[in-house]
Amino acid sequence: MTLLKEVLFLTNFLIFFYVVIVDTFYLVLLILSLKQLRLYLQRKKYNKYEYEEISTSYLTPPVSILVPAYNEEKTIIKSMISFLNIQYPEYEVIIINDGSNDQTLDKLIEHFKLVRTNQPYRKQLHTEEIKDIYYSIQFPQLKVIDKINGGKADALNAGLNLSSYPYFCAVDADSVLEHDALIKTMKPFMEGIDDVIVCGGIVRIAKGCKISNGRVTEVGLPRNLIALHQVIEYLRSFLMGRLGFSAINNLLIVSGAFGVFRKKEVLYINGYKTDTIGEDMELVIRLQRYLYDEKKSSKVLFLPDPVCWTEAPSSLKDLYKQRSRWHLGLLQCLWEHKRAIFNPTYKFMGIFALPYFLFVELLGPTIELVGFILLLVGLYFDFVSIPFAILFFIFTLLFGIFLSLSAVFMEEYSLRRYPKIKDLFILTLCSFVENFWYRQLNAVWRTWAFFRAIKRDFSWGDIKRSGFEYHKPKEKPE
């Protein structure tokens, strides 16, 4: 019994030490993010007229917007209206219908008056067979590819083959872009201060927002508790994690829901890999490795202001599918690039960024979950002292609350998309509540992803779409 007590205490101590190290990582990222956010806001004061110039200048580089779609009949039309009405001088929208078995293609054909075309294109990347290509008489900038199902990465590669412009923006079909999002994201490419090859924007939860004519006309919080917790989660992930890594030019993920890429580098490294479900992160890591290998000083950036609003899972079942899939994608990416981890050739990326994703993002939820279970067992059998349990509680739950509150503060300090006092109160309350059930549930789901990997279950999984909350604009009285 004494041996068991000593083993349990040692295990808990090691997990506690791990938690302290992880919290230190988070604190460093928070400091980096705050500095980067302050710098961005200072520069933003002088950007208003620059955005107006970009939106009208013939020198602004054209962009191809690639929209992979699979069974998106509930959101596809409203999303396309958003993409077709963005504020940008020259662009094309390419929807890739990836073998949908619902009414996605039919709705597109009917709503946008699509007709078939024999447009030739250069097949630079291998993809599943393209059955038909359509264009719209009503919207000349709109093209639709109908192809055999090959997955999201394969659909994006098909879009790249058909794209006409030197930059492309990858956007999810269940998303809505703010009208100036593309201008803001393209600005770093045009400034000439740095050689930028990728720039990502922030993704926010659309549930609770009112959408009219493809635009978010009123920002609000979801009434659904599952979606509400995701608002905090997204703020923490983007405003702290990605902004912090962008500050040190070691950003390893640009959301597949919204990111702009310079096409020539993506084609050079053979586009998206189709054998991973984390295609967005894998592509960015491969691009970063390419920059290190070629000794280039190009940058991968994240901006906190360009906004893409997306639909979020509303049920625990759908959220489990999404988070388990994300964790599987992370596992695949790290395994694919395992030789870069701790590799001094890749400098800060190999020594800091990749180990962070391995030990904090991949293994962290499982280690924390095991720590909680062992702590409870130790308390039950009186193997763990109360002071130790209190310290563990402080460095896990209370620090988690601090990070969530920090993300809400950064949102209020900088962007203020939720200006109502009521909304801020709800977000603050959720910052406390999520740490007592939502966080642990996510840890369980992400731990289960390892068992899925052992069983080689890399299925994508269908997530139920509920569609956006759509509001018709009020008619002006005569």
Side-chain angles (χ1 to χ4, degrees):
M1 197 70 171
T2 304
L3 179 60
L4 177 61
K5 181 178 180 179
E6 291 178 354
V7 170
L8 188 61
F9 179 80
L10 179 61
T11 304
N12 273 315
F13 180 80
L14 291 174
I15 292 175
F16 172 73
F17 180 74
Y18 166 84
V19 168
V20 173
I21 297 298
V22 168
D23 288 348
T24 303
F25 268 112
Y26 284 139
L27 192 59
V28 170
L29 278 177
L30 174 60
I31 294 171
L32 289 171
S33 298
L34 286 170
K35 288 184 176 180
Q36 186 75 355
L37 184 61
R38 182 182 178 185
L39 178 63
Y40 180 79
L41 292 176
Q42 288 175 345
R43 297 178 64 182
K44 185 182 175 183
K45 294 178 183 178
Y46 308 101
N47 284 344
K48 180 180 179 181
Y49 298 108
E50 292 181 8
Y51 292 146
E52 292 177 359
E53 184 178 351
I54 292 172
S55 66
T56 56
S57 174
Y58 69 91
L59 296 175
T60 301
V63 180
S64 301
I65 300 176
L66 308 184
V67 190
Y70 177 74
N71 291 350
E72 302 286 355
E73 62 180 6
K74 290 188 176 181
T75 60
I76 192 67
I77 300 302
K78 298 180 182 65
S79 295
M80 290 312 107
I81 292 173
S82 162
F83 303 149
L84 290 168
N85 285 284
I86 60 172
Q87 183 183 353
Y88 202 81
E90 185 178 1
Y91 65 97
E92 63 181 357
V93 180
I94 302 176
I95 307 170
I96 308 99
N97 179 48
D98 191 40
S100 298
N101 51 35
D102 65 354
Q103 298 298 308
T104 298
L105 181 61
D106 294 335
K107 284 181 175 290
L108 288 169
I109 291 174
E110 179 183 358
H111 192 276
F112 295 109
K113 307 295 188 292
L114 300 180
V115 295
R116 286 188 179 89
T117 177
N118 294 321
Q119 175 187 342
Y121 64 94
R122 185 180 178 187
K123 191 171 183 179
Q124 302 176 81
L125 303 171
H126 173 76
T127 68
E128 293 292 336
E129 179 187 351
I130 292 178
K131 298 190 290 185
D132 288 301
I133 299 174
Y134 299 83
Y135 74 95
S136 172
I137 299 175
Q138 187 179 5
F139 297 94
Q141 71 270 44
L142 175 62
K143 301 173 185 176
V144 176
I145 299 173
D146 183 31
K147 62 181 288 292
I148 293 175
N149 180 264
K152 183 178 178 180
D154 189 77
L156 286 166
N157 285 338
L160 280 171
N161 285 335
L162 196 69
S163 63
S164 307
Y165 299 139
Y167 296 90
F168 73 92
C169 176
V171 190
D172 280 351
D174 59 348
S175 303
V176 169
L177 289 179
E178 291 194 350
H179 73 285
D180 58 357
L182 193 56
I183 287 178
K184 291 178 177 178
T185 313
M186 283 297 298
K187 186 174 180 292
F189 293 96
M190 303 171 59
E191 286 179 324
I193 300 174
D194 300 302
D195 181 30
V196 178
I197 64 167
V198 184
C199 186
I202 190 169
V203 179
R204 293 174 178 265
I205 305 300
K207 287 187 183 297
C209 299
K210 294 181 179 179
I211 297 174
S212 178
N213 291 331
R215 291 191 179 184
V216 174
T217 56
E218 183 179 334
V219 175
L221 292 176
R223 295 181 181 179
N224 179 280
L225 184 62
I226 306 300
L228 186 58
H229 281 310
Q230 291 173 74
V231 173
I232 299 285
E233 195 176 14
Y234 275 51
L235 288 176
R236 191 170 57 242
S237 174
F238 283 92
L239 291 182
M240 287 176 52
R242 299 186 190 182
L243 193 57
F245 277 109
S246 181
I248 55 177
N249 194 29
N250 271 269
L251 185 63
L252 299 187
I253 180 169
V254 169
S255 175
F258 179 39
V260 176
F261 298 76
R262 194 161 66 191
K263 189 168 69 172
K264 67 177 182 180
E265 281 84 4
V266 175
L267 290 177
Y268 183 81
I269 64 172
N270 296 317
Y272 289 87
K273 285 182 68 69
T274 58
D275 57 353
T276 177
I277 57 177
E279 74 291 325
D280 47 1
M281 183 177 188
E282 196 284 326
L283 177 67
V284 176
I285 294 177
R286 198 152 28 98
L287 282 169
Q288 289 278 28
R289 292 186 67 178
Y290 160 75
L291 296 178
Y292 278 107
D293 291 338
E294 299 296 322
K295 294 180 171 55
K296 294 179 178 291
S297 59
S298 305
K299 290 190 174 183
V300 177
L301 299 180
F302 166 78
L303 300 180
D305 198 10
V307 179
C308 172
W309 297 90
T310 190
E311 189 178 3
S314 300
S315 68
L316 290 177
K317 181 180 178 181
D318 286 338
L319 188 63
Y320 153 71
K321 292 178 182 178
Q322 184 190 67
R323 298 312 156 88
S324 177
R325 184 181 73 221
W326 284 359
H327 214 62
L328 273 173
L330 174 60
L331 176 61
Q332 284 184 316
C333 287
L334 292 176
W335 181 258
E336 178 73 21
H337 297 279
K338 56 184 178 294
R339 293 184 179 179
I341 302 175
F342 295 119
N343 188 336
T345 302
Y346 299 106
K347 299 180 181 178
F348 212 64
M349 183 182 82
I351 302 301
F352 177 77
L354 283 170
Y356 168 86
F357 277 95
L358 172 61
F359 291 108
V360 178
E361 295 295 336
L362 184 68
L363 300 178
T366 302
I367 293 175
E368 185 179 310
L369 183 66
V370 171
F372 272 116
I373 294 173
L374 291 179
L375 183 67
L376 294 175
V377 171
L379 287 172
Y380 180 80
F381 288 104
D382 200 24
F383 289 167
V384 175
S385 65
I386 298 299
F388 181 86
I390 293 173
L391 277 175
F392 193 91
F393 175 80
I394 291 173
F395 277 93
T396 51
L397 296 182
L398 291 188
F399 194 80
I401 293 171
F402 166 73
L403 291 177
S404 296
L405 288 174
S406 297
V408 174
F409 165 76
M410 291 173 71
E411 153 65 26
E412 174 61 15
Y413 166 70
S414 58
L415 307 174
R416 302 201 67 187
R417 285 299 197 280
Y418 305 99
K420 298 179 182 177
I421 298 297
K422 177 184 175 182
D423 289 346
L424 289 176
F425 173 77
I426 292 174
L427 289 175
T428 301
L429 182 62
C430 280
S431 298
F432 285 87
V433 174
E434 68 162 359
N435 284 277
F436 293 93
W437 77 280
Y438 182 80
R439 176 176 169 178
Q440 290 75 21
L441 199 57
N442 259 286
V444 172
W445 291 335
R446 293 167 75 176
T447 299
W448 183 250
F450 290 107
F451 294 97
R452 287 186 58 185
I454 293 171
K455 297 188 295 182
R456 305 197 64 78
D457 175 16
F458 296 106
S459 58
W460 187 261
D462 292 331
I463 294 178
K464 184 180 178 181
R465 306 293 190 193
S466 57
F468 297 121
E469 184 179 349
Y470 183 71
H471 292 258
K472 293 183 178 180
K474 293 181 180 179
E475 295 182 0
K476 295 182 180 180
E478 297 181 0

Short mmCIF file of all heavy atoms in Angstrom, two decimals, residues 56-75:
data_model
loop_
_atom_site.label_atom_id
_atom_site.label_comp_id
_atom_site.label_asym_id
_atom_site.label_seq_id
_atom_site.Cartn_x
_atom_site.Cartn_y
_atom_site.Cartn_z
N THR A 56 -10.38 50.04 -54.78
CA THR A 56 -10.69 50.67 -56.06
C THR A 56 -9.52 50.66 -57.04
O THR A 56 -9.70 50.93 -58.22
CB THR A 56 -11.13 52.14 -55.84
OG1 THR A 56 -10.10 52.83 -55.12
CG2 THR A 56 -12.42 52.20 -55.04
N SER A 57 -8.32 50.32 -56.55
CA SER A 57 -7.13 50.41 -57.40
C SER A 57 -7.04 49.25 -58.39
O SER A 57 -7.30 48.10 -58.05
CB SER A 57 -5.87 50.43 -56.53
OG SER A 57 -4.71 50.37 -57.33
N TYR A 58 -6.64 49.56 -59.62
CA TYR A 58 -6.44 48.51 -60.63
C TYR A 58 -5.14 47.74 -60.38
O TYR A 58 -4.88 46.72 -61.01
CB TYR A 58 -6.43 49.13 -62.03
CG TYR A 58 -5.24 49.99 -62.34
CD1 TYR A 58 -4.10 49.46 -62.93
CD2 TYR A 58 -5.25 51.35 -62.03
CE1 TYR A 58 -2.99 50.25 -63.21
CE2 TYR A 58 -4.14 52.14 -62.29
CZ TYR A 58 -3.03 51.59 -62.88
OH TYR A 58 -1.94 52.37 -63.14
N LEU A 59 -4.32 48.24 -59.45
CA LEU A 59 -3.08 47.55 -59.10
C LEU A 59 -3.28 46.47 -58.05
O LEU A 59 -2.37 45.68 -57.77
CB LEU A 59 -2.05 48.57 -58.57
CG LEU A 59 -1.59 49.63 -59.57
CD1 LEU A 59 -0.66 50.63 -58.88
CD2 LEU A 59 -0.91 49.00 -60.76
N THR A 60 -4.46 46.43 -57.46
CA THR A 60 -4.76 45.40 -56.45
C THR A 60 -4.77 44.03 -57.11
O THR A 60 -5.51 43.81 -58.08
CB THR A 60 -6.12 45.67 -55.79
OG1 THR A 60 -6.09 46.96 -55.18
CG2 THR A 60 -6.43 44.62 -54.73
N PRO A 61 -3.97 43.08 -56.63
CA PRO A 61 -3.91 41.76 -57.29
C PRO A 61 -5.24 41.01 -57.17
O PRO A 61 -5.86 41.00 -56.10
CB PRO A 61 -2.80 41.03 -56.52
CG PRO A 61 -2.69 41.75 -55.22
CD PRO A 61 -3.06 43.17 -55.48
N PRO A 62 -5.68 40.39 -58.25
CA PRO A 62 -6.93 39.62 -58.20
C PRO A 62 -6.77 38.34 -57.39
O PRO A 62 -5.67 37.81 -57.23
CB PRO A 62 -7.21 39.31 -59.68
CG PRO A 62 -5.87 39.35 -60.33
CD PRO A 62 -5.06 40.37 -59.59
N VAL A 63 -7.89 37.85 -56.87
CA VAL A 63 -7.89 36.69 -55.96
C VAL A 63 -8.94 35.68 -56.41
O VAL A 63 -10.04 36.05 -56.82
CB VAL A 63 -8.18 37.13 -54.51
CG1 VAL A 63 -8.19 35.92 -53.58
CG2 VAL A 63 -7.16 38.14 -54.03
N SER A 64 -8.59 34.40 -56.31
CA SER A 64 -9.56 33.32 -56.54
C SER A 64 -10.06 32.83 -55.18
O SER A 64 -9.26 32.45 -54.32
CB SER A 64 -8.90 32.16 -57.29
OG SER A 64 -8.39 32.58 -58.53
N ILE A 65 -11.36 32.85 -54.97
CA ILE A 65 -11.96 32.35 -53.74
C ILE A 65 -12.41 30.92 -53.99
O ILE A 65 -13.29 30.66 -54.82
CB ILE A 65 -13.15 33.22 -53.29
CG1 ILE A 65 -12.70 34.66 -53.05
CG2 ILE A 65 -13.79 32.65 -52.03
CD1 ILE A 65 -13.82 35.61 -52.69
N LEU A 66 -11.79 29.97 -53.29
CA LEU A 66 -12.10 28.55 -53.47
C LEU A 66 -13.01 28.08 -52.33
O LEU A 66 -12.66 28.23 -51.16
CB LEU A 66 -10.81 27.72 -53.49
CG LEU A 66 -9.72 28.17 -54.46
CD1 LEU A 66 -8.56 27.18 -54.43
CD2 LEU A 66 -10.26 28.32 -55.87
N VAL A 67 -14.14 27.47 -52.72
CA VAL A 67 -15.14 27.07 -51.73
C VAL A 67 -15.48 25.58 -51.92
O VAL A 67 -16.34 25.23 -52.73
CB VAL A 67 -16.43 27.91 -51.87
CG1 VAL A 67 -17.36 27.64 -50.69
CG2 VAL A 67 -16.11 29.39 -51.98
N PRO A 68 -14.80 24.69 -51.21
CA PRO A 68 -15.19 23.27 -51.28
C PRO A 68 -16.52 23.05 -50.60
O PRO A 68 -16.77 23.60 -49.51
CB PRO A 68 -14.04 22.56 -50.54
CG PRO A 68 -13.49 23.59 -49.62
CD PRO A 68 -13.67 24.92 -50.29
N ALA A 69 -17.39 22.26 -51.22
CA ALA A 69 -18.73 22.06 -50.67
C ALA A 69 -19.13 20.59 -50.74
O ALA A 69 -19.03 19.98 -51.81
CB ALA A 69 -19.74 22.93 -51.44
N TYR A 70 -19.57 20.07 -49.62
CA TYR A 70 -20.09 18.71 -49.58
C TYR A 70 -21.34 18.70 -48.72
O TYR A 70 -21.28 18.96 -47.51
CB TYR A 70 -19.05 17.74 -49.02
CG TYR A 70 -19.57 16.31 -48.88
CD1 TYR A 70 -19.76 15.52 -50.01
CD2 TYR A 70 -19.91 15.80 -47.64
CE1 TYR A 70 -20.25 14.24 -49.91
CE2 TYR A 70 -20.40 14.52 -47.52
CZ TYR A 70 -20.58 13.74 -48.65
OH TYR A 70 -21.08 12.46 -48.53
N ASN A 71 -22.49 18.47 -49.33
CA ASN A 71 -23.78 18.44 -48.64
C ASN A 71 -24.01 19.72 -47.84
O ASN A 71 -24.22 19.70 -46.63
CB ASN A 71 -23.87 17.22 -47.72
CG ASN A 71 -23.95 15.92 -48.49
OD1 ASN A 71 -24.13 15.92 -49.72
ND2 ASN A 71 -23.83 14.80 -47.81
N GLU A 72 -23.97 20.84 -48.54
CA GLU A 72 -24.13 22.15 -47.90
C GLU A 72 -25.40 22.85 -48.35
O GLU A 72 -25.45 24.08 -48.44
CB GLU A 72 -22.91 23.03 -48.23
CG GLU A 72 -21.58 22.48 -47.81
CD GLU A 72 -21.34 22.57 -46.31
OE1 GLU A 72 -22.19 23.15 -45.61
OE2 GLU A 72 -20.30 22.06 -45.84
N GLU A 73 -26.46 22.10 -48.65
CA GLU A 73 -27.65 22.70 -49.22
C GLU A 73 -28.30 23.75 -48.32
O GLU A 73 -28.96 24.67 -48.81
CB GLU A 73 -28.68 21.60 -49.55
CG GLU A 73 -29.18 20.82 -48.35
CD GLU A 73 -30.20 19.75 -48.71
OE1 GLU A 73 -30.43 19.55 -49.91
OE2 GLU A 73 -30.78 19.13 -47.80
N LYS A 74 -28.12 23.64 -47.00
CA LYS A 74 -28.78 24.58 -46.09
C LYS A 74 -28.10 25.94 -46.01
O LYS A 74 -28.73 26.93 -45.65
CB LYS A 74 -28.87 23.97 -44.68
CG LYS A 74 -29.84 22.81 -44.59
CD LYS A 74 -30.04 22.38 -43.15
CE LYS A 74 -31.08 21.27 -43.05
NZ LYS A 74 -31.31 20.84 -41.65
N THR A 75 -26.82 26.00 -46.33
CA THR A 75 -26.09 27.27 -46.18
C THR A 75 -25.46 27.78 -47.47
O THR A 75 -25.02 28.92 -47.52
CB THR A 75 -24.96 27.12 -45.14
OG1 THR A 75 -24.04 26.09 -45.58
CG2 THR A 75 -25.51 26.73 -43.78
#
